[in-house]
Amino acid sequence: MGMRVVLAGCGSISEAWLKPAQIMPEIEMVGFVDLRPEAAERRAREYGTADAITGTDLDGVLAQTRPDVVFDCTNPDAHYGVVLTALQHGCHVLGEKPLATSMQQAREMIAAAQQAGKVYAIVQNRRYDSNIRRLKALLDSGALGSVTTINSDFYVGAHFRDFRDYMPHILLLDMAIHTFDAARYLAGADPVSVFCKEWNPPGSWYDRDASAVAIFDFSNGVVYTYRGSWTSEGLRTTWESDWRVIGQQGSIVWDGAEGFRGEIATDEGGFFSSMREVLPPQVAAGARVGGHAGVIADFIDCLRTGRTPETIASDNIKSLAMVFAAIQSAETGCVVPVEW
């Protein structure tokens, strides 16, 4: 018998969840909920069981289907209500990022999950990319020595022509959490403080600030810098950003895809040290990879085995805290502590 799952939110992002879920025998899609009944009915036809229930009221569909898990693919404003409703029905929850639209709501959602004894995790699908797993394995091996500095650049000229054109803090709120979470993963430490500047460059097609620079301090002494823009035309980076990681014995750059270049010092006797090439290892057998599919499969396995998901909400809140601290710093012009 598979895990019975209800999907809340049947918009475009849900397809990235449902396609891999459809081929996982341990998942049985039994309900679909959306404010637009036709959207729920369409997803049910595409991905549901023959007797899948559809509706616009999550509470009612959960009462009818009695699922084990709720997939929350709703808009960020709806996450708070969806998660609390799911927990009240005794469901585990796997939700879209960001966890919540405020730190207070995030804390309440995490407390509710802990009180209910249920697992609540977030789909930070970019952690489950094989290339970032390779980079992390290299850093953990000690080949570069102790990591001191992590830099990332995100430059994508994205013309959404939707609500994002008018959003405040569009880059930080809509996209930076992916990069911040990746930096936290690579640093292997908690964020401590941030200084951030936002601006909207001339010629921007956004109403609000769409570019940002931020400097984070981490608990292990690593300094992480973020540079990003939604309005930079030409020389586009990958969605995963361009990265440079500096250790005491060497450095590596990663283009966010499959491109790696690394060097470690072999002789420090001259003005410049002698170097030899270093590359990250291939993904180890059993590594948790595969984007959305990897996150979902790992979440279901955690429910079966009692393991804690890597992206459990009580940990993922630290990535959300980086976003809100950066926004507060940009608004005040001050260094702000990252608190969760």
Side-chain angles (χ1 to χ4, degrees):
M1 180 72 69
M3 291 278 181
R4 293 169 59 83
V5 180
V6 164
L7 171 70
C10 298
S12 58
I13 191 62
S14 67
E15 192 164 14
W17 292 53
L18 292 171
K19 281 187 174 180
Q22 189 178 38
I23 60 174
M24 295 179 186
E26 60 270 38
I27 291 178
E28 181 184 5
M29 297 302 306
V30 298
F32 297 81
V33 181
D34 197 278
L35 295 176
R36 302 159 300 155
E38 67 277 8
E41 292 162 5
R42 182 179 67 252
R43 288 293 187 236
R45 289 193 302 270
E46 294 170 338
Y47 299 103
T49 58
D51 56 351
I53 301 297
T54 66
T56 60
D57 175 50
L58 178 62
D59 188 75
V61 172
L62 294 181
Q64 288 181 269
T65 57
R66 302 178 64 83
D68 305 295
V69 176
V70 168
F71 286 169
D72 179 14
C73 292
T74 59
N75 291 333
D77 288 343
H79 290 175
Y80 179 77
V82 166
V83 170
L84 294 187
T85 298
L87 293 171
Q88 289 165 4
H89 282 264
C91 301
H92 304 286
V93 183
L94 183 62
E96 261 294 342
K97 62 84 187 170
L99 194 160
T101 56
S102 74
M103 290 301 295
Q104 181 58 39
Q105 285 190 348
R107 296 183 189 106
E108 291 179 20
M109 294 155 74
I110 291 167
Q114 292 170 343
Q115 184 175 2
K118 297 300 176 181
V119 178
Y120 175 34
I122 306 302
V123 170
Q124 290 284 175
N125 54 295
R126 286 174 166 83
R127 273 198 187 215
Y128 285 68
D129 174 79
S130 61
N131 293 305
I132 198 170
R133 295 291 191 188
R134 292 181 63 196
L135 178 55
K136 178 64 170 173
L138 177 71
L139 302 183
D140 288 348
S141 75
L144 301 184
S146 297
V147 173
T148 65
T149 310
I150 300 176
N151 301 328
S152 68
D153 287 336
F154 176 84
Y155 292 107
V156 174
H159 297 259
F160 291 104
R161 297 183 177 89
D162 61 13
F163 65 92
R164 295 173 180 85
D165 291 354
Y166 318 106
M167 276 181 62
H169 311 293
I170 171 59
L171 179 67
L172 294 176
L173 276 176
D174 189 58
M175 190 65 199
I177 191 167
H178 284 299
T179 320
F180 291 175
D181 186 72
R184 200 165 62 81
Y185 173 61
L186 294 174
D190 291 335
V192 174
S193 63
V194 60
F195 178 75
C196 181
K197 175 179 174 59
E198 282 184 301
W199 72 100
N200 206 25
S204 170
W205 49 93
Y206 294 90
D207 285 0
R208 311 291 286 273
D209 292 343
S211 296
V213 172
I215 305 171
F216 288 89
D217 287 315
F218 277 84
S219 57
N220 60 355
V222 168
V223 175
Y224 164 57
T225 67
Y226 170 85
R227 302 187 300 180
S229 175
W230 273 133
T231 65
S232 55
E233 297 283 37
L235 301 178
R236 185 170 66 246
T237 65
T238 65
W239 290 96
E240 316 307 329
S241 300
D242 282 346
W243 295 81
R244 177 183 288 263
V245 181
I246 304 170
Q248 291 181 350
Q249 275 80 55
S251 300
I252 187 164
V253 293
W254 173 45
D255 67 2
E258 297 182 359
F260 293 95
R261 289 187 300 112
E263 292 182 335
I264 56 176
T266 59
D267 177 8
E268 300 178 356
F271 184 77
F272 291 117
S273 300
S274 299
M275 295 288 166
R276 70 173 177 85
E277 182 182 45
V278 63
L279 291 174
Q282 295 300 315
V283 176
R288 297 188 295 276
V289 297
H292 282 85
V295 181
I296 294 168
D298 192 42
F299 179 78
I300 298 298
D301 185 66
C302 286
L303 297 184
R304 293 190 179 281
T305 63
R307 281 193 304 111
T308 299
E310 184 174 317
T311 58
I312 190 81
S314 56
D315 180 73
N316 188 255
I317 193 175
K318 299 173 184 178
S319 299
L320 185 70
M322 292 175 73
V323 171
F324 285 114
I327 289 171
Q328 183 181 350
S329 176
E331 291 178 338
T332 62
C334 300
V335 175
V336 170
V338 182
E339 299 174 328
W340 55 90

